[in-house]
């Protein structure tokens, strides 16, 4: 007897099954958002009191004292703002790109210090300033920042993720 109902297997023919990438990508983006946010929060918090952050920026010997002071005071606030936006999943693509660019600036600063023969601690997670030549970790600092830059780039390229305000606002579905 034909009831006009479509067999169960026909119901799913029109709905393509998502690929493995389509299933995994949002969760990878979420992991990158949370991981990069944690790094940025740690970096911001360890730069306090601001005098330490200013000292770290001045050690790079790239800016006049007033500009170094401005960067030293505002960098932790900028890192914290990026972290909060990543956690909220708001403007995700742009915040991921800004985070990746920030890491690129950090890498350029470290390469510049290394090329000029400066012996400094990068100041990425507090501290900063002059250190003994054997205490520099430029290679490790650059490799770490490349990994963080890759996380930011991943977020910028594939911003769709669960638990994001972007989804609620309909920015990325």
């Amino acid at each position: 007897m034909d009831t006009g109902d479509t067999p169960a297997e026909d119901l799913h023919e029109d709905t393509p099954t998502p690929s493995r990438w389509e299933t995994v990508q949002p969760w990878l983006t979420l992991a990158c958002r949370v991981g990069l946010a944690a790094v940025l929060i740690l970096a911001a918090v360890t730069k306090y009191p601001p005098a330490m952050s200013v000292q770290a920026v001045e050690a790079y010997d790239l800016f006049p004292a007033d500009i170094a002071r401005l960067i030293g005071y505002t960098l932790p606030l900028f890192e914290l703002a990026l972290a909060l936006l990543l956690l909220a999943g708001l403007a995700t693509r742009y915040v991921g790109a800004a985070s990746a660019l920030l890491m690129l600036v950090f890498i350029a600063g470290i390469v510049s210090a290394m090329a000029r023969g400066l012996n400094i601690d990068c100041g990425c997670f507090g501290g900063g300033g002059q250190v003994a030549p054997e205490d520099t970790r430029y290679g490790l600092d650059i490799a770490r920042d490349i990994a963080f830059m890759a996380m930011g780039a991943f977020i910028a390229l594939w911003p769709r993720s669960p638990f994001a305000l972007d989804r609620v606002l309909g920015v990325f579905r």
Side-chain angles (χ1 to χ4, degrees):
M1 174 168 146
D2 185 16
T3 61
D5 291 337
T6 309
E9 59 270 2
D10 290 343
L11 288 176
H12 299 291
E13 278 184 26
D14 294 339
T15 309
T17 57
S19 69
R20 180 172 290 168
W21 173 250
E22 292 170 328
T23 302
V24 171
Q25 174 272 307
W27 297 101
L28 289 174
T29 298
L30 177 62
C32 286
R33 277 181 38 217
V34 172
L36 191 53
V39 166
L40 289 167
I41 288 170
L42 179 64
V45 168
T46 58
K47 285 182 175 77
Y48 281 97
M52 293 180 66
S53 182
V54 171
Q55 173 186 317
V57 174
E58 287 175 337
Y60 282 88
D61 200 24
L62 291 171
F63 305 102
D66 289 341
I67 301 296
R69 194 170 311 109
L70 176 68
I71 293 169
Y73 276 98
T74 58
L75 180 59
L77 298 173
F78 184 61
E79 290 171 329
L80 191 58
L82 290 174
L84 294 175
L85 288 168
L86 284 170
L87 286 175
L90 188 60
T92 309
R93 180 182 304 273
Y94 306 109
V95 176
S99 299
L101 287 173
L102 181 62
M103 296 303 154
L104 184 61
V105 169
F106 291 162
I107 292 166
I110 295 167
V111 168
S112 169
M114 185 172 63
R116 291 179 294 133
L118 300 178
N119 297 310
I120 62 173
D121 174 5
C122 75
C124 300
F125 296 100
Q130 300 294 322
V131 296
E134 63 273 6
D135 292 335
T136 60
R137 303 174 319 186
Y138 296 133
L140 182 61
D141 293 338
I142 291 168
R144 179 200 60 221
D145 287 349
I146 287 172
F148 296 152
M149 184 174 67
M151 291 169 72
F154 188 93
I155 295 165
L157 291 171
W158 295 284
R160 188 172 55 90
S161 62
F163 312 115
L165 286 178
D166 285 345
R167 287 182 76 117
V168 174
L169 299 173
V171 178
F172 300 111
R173 300 203 183 273

